[in-house]
Amino acid sequence: MEMEGLDYTYNLTIIDSYPEPLEAGGMNSYSLFQCIVYVIEAILYMFITTAIASDRNRYQTTFWFTLLNFSITYIALNLLRYFGEVHVVIYNESNKSLCHLVHFLNSAVNDGGEMAIILICVDLIVQNLMSERYENPKCKMFTLILIFVTWLLIIIKEIIFRKHSEIEFLCYQSNPPFVLWGDLVFTILRILMILAAVGVLLYIAQASGQPASVLVGLLGAPILVGFVLCFSTLLSAINYTVSLVNLQSPETLYMCSYYIRMFCPLIIALLWLVDNNFRASIKRLITCSTCRETGLQPTEHEMTTDIA
């Protein structure tokens, strides 16, 4: 039931709104700062992806697939955000085809970044609860299919939403009510899925009976990353909802969401250092000359748990 007098018209740019409006063709300190942050984060994830790809033998195959999917997605996410800043916000390009493409890719990859941690958690759940079936050809194929289907569903959702969106002056996007509220519903659904996956990992850790130091090194990173993504996404969802209803969110809420979303990839990259294998891969890449002399270290396998 619609509230009388409530205006559902809502304009969004490719990046979150800015604390200070930009003049056409201009640049303020916020846009420049974001460009620098996104470039740094993209380079960081390129380094991470190189470390994971070059240390293939340290990981079990299916987990390696999901971890690479995660790191490559965050490379794309930061490059797209940088591209959006430069070509859509700073230069205010009004080409509608370009604007639709950037809106589409940014939204799809952002959703894919949140779904990637769910895929990692699912892999770890299978790895620990069904260890006898893990790493067989069917399990590997299932992981690849799950990654493919996840991206396919994200793309289909974005195609439907973009089909009903309009690009207006200076690359602002105007969406009908069902797109705005539908996007909010999918955001809440992703938060619930992340919490469910992290909850199962916490149950596995509690039921394993292993020392906390061991559990942190094996399961701590995806659990922490899941909680950070939930908090960041929830804060953005609250800011988004308040904006839909009031057309202007409180400044404190907006600024918190603005900076947390900007630095979230950097925080996530640092949290992955909690993982034993990931930390070893980074160390191996940094000290690659030593590794060539000593050879590969024995593969460290993940914890397996037999829960009655």
Side-chain angles (χ1 to χ4, degrees):
M1 178 177 180
E2 295 187 6
M3 296 177 61
E4 185 177 355
L6 181 60
D7 183 5
Y8 283 101
T9 302
Y10 189 70
N11 291 328
L12 298 172
T13 57
I14 178 63
I15 309 298
D16 292 333
S17 302
Y18 287 85
E20 299 174 3
L22 287 172
E23 296 180 358
M27 178 191 294
N28 62 19
S29 57
Y30 289 99
S31 57
L32 178 60
F33 180 62
Q34 278 194 305
C35 284
I36 295 173
V37 171
Y38 294 148
V39 168
I40 292 174
E41 290 177 343
I43 293 173
L44 175 61
Y45 276 93
M46 289 177 187
F47 175 80
I48 288 172
T49 303
T50 302
I52 296 170
S54 64
D55 201 13
R56 162 68 190 85
N57 291 336
R58 190 176 297 277
Y59 304 91
Q60 301 197 55
T61 305
T62 53
F63 185 75
W64 188 69
F65 290 152
T66 57
L67 199 55
L68 272 183
N69 174 66
F70 184 89
S71 61
I72 292 174
T73 298
Y74 272 87
I75 292 175
L77 177 62
N78 286 289
L79 290 177
L80 282 168
R81 286 177 172 178
Y82 171 79
F83 179 82
E85 282 293 314
V86 173
H87 293 277
V88 176
V89 176
I90 293 176
Y91 292 112
N92 289 313
E93 296 179 0
S94 57
N95 183 292
K96 289 191 175 183
S97 297
L98 174 64
C99 290
H100 272 298
L101 177 62
V102 175
H103 276 276
F104 171 83
L105 291 175
N106 183 76
S107 184
V109 175
N110 183 71
D111 292 354
E114 294 175 7
M115 293 298 296
I117 190 61
I118 299 176
L119 297 176
I120 288 177
C121 290
V122 169
D123 183 270
L124 288 171
I125 291 168
V126 174
Q127 186 178 150
N128 288 284
L129 297 183
M130 294 183 288
S131 57
E132 70 283 356
R133 299 180 183 179
Y134 191 71
E135 282 290 84
N136 64 34
K138 290 184 179 180
C139 187
K140 295 177 184 178
M141 184 58 64
F142 171 78
T143 299
L144 291 175
I145 293 174
L146 187 60
I147 293 173
F148 173 78
V149 170
T150 299
W151 279 106
L152 181 62
L153 292 176
I154 290 172
I155 291 172
I156 291 174
K157 187 265 288 186
E158 287 303 318
I159 289 175
I160 295 173
F161 282 6
R162 295 287 82 76
K163 182 180 179 181
H164 297 277
S165 300
E166 294 292 335
I167 298 298
E168 298 178 348
F169 181 64
L170 294 180
C171 206
Y172 276 74
Q173 180 174 310
S174 180
N175 297 311
F178 92 91
V179 170
L180 299 175
W181 293 107
D183 194 46
L184 181 61
V185 169
F186 277 105
T187 299
I188 294 174
L189 180 60
R190 288 196 303 274
I191 292 173
L192 294 176
M193 291 173 66
I194 294 174
L195 288 176
V198 168
V200 175
L201 288 184
L202 286 173
Y203 168 72
I204 291 173
Q206 186 275 330
S208 68
Q210 296 199 37
S213 58
V214 175
L215 294 174
V216 169
L218 296 175
L219 301 177
I223 290 173
L224 291 174
V225 169
F227 279 130
V228 167
L229 278 176
C230 281
F231 175 74
S232 173
T233 306
L234 180 61
L235 191 62
S236 294
I238 294 172
N239 183 51
Y240 184 69
T241 305
V242 172
S243 299
L244 285 178
V245 176
N246 298 327
L247 299 182
Q248 185 174 1
S249 60
E251 183 178 357
T252 302
L253 175 62
Y254 162 73
M255 293 302 293
C256 287
S257 176
Y258 175 82
Y259 285 111
I260 288 175
R261 294 294 288 181
M262 186 194 307
F263 289 105
C264 190
L266 180 61
I267 296 171
I268 288 172
L270 295 177
L271 288 177
W272 269 110
L273 291 175
V274 173
D275 184 89
N276 292 337
N277 286 333
F278 181 82
R279 192 167 60 250
S281 294
I282 297 295
K283 182 178 179 180
R284 180 180 182 273
L285 183 62
I286 294 175
T287 59
C288 57
S289 59
T290 305
C291 291
R292 282 195 291 268
E293 295 175 1
T294 60
L296 290 174
Q297 298 300 314
T299 300
E300 296 181 27
H301 294 286
E302 299 295 328
M303 173 188 68
T304 57
T305 304
D306 185 14
I307 300 177

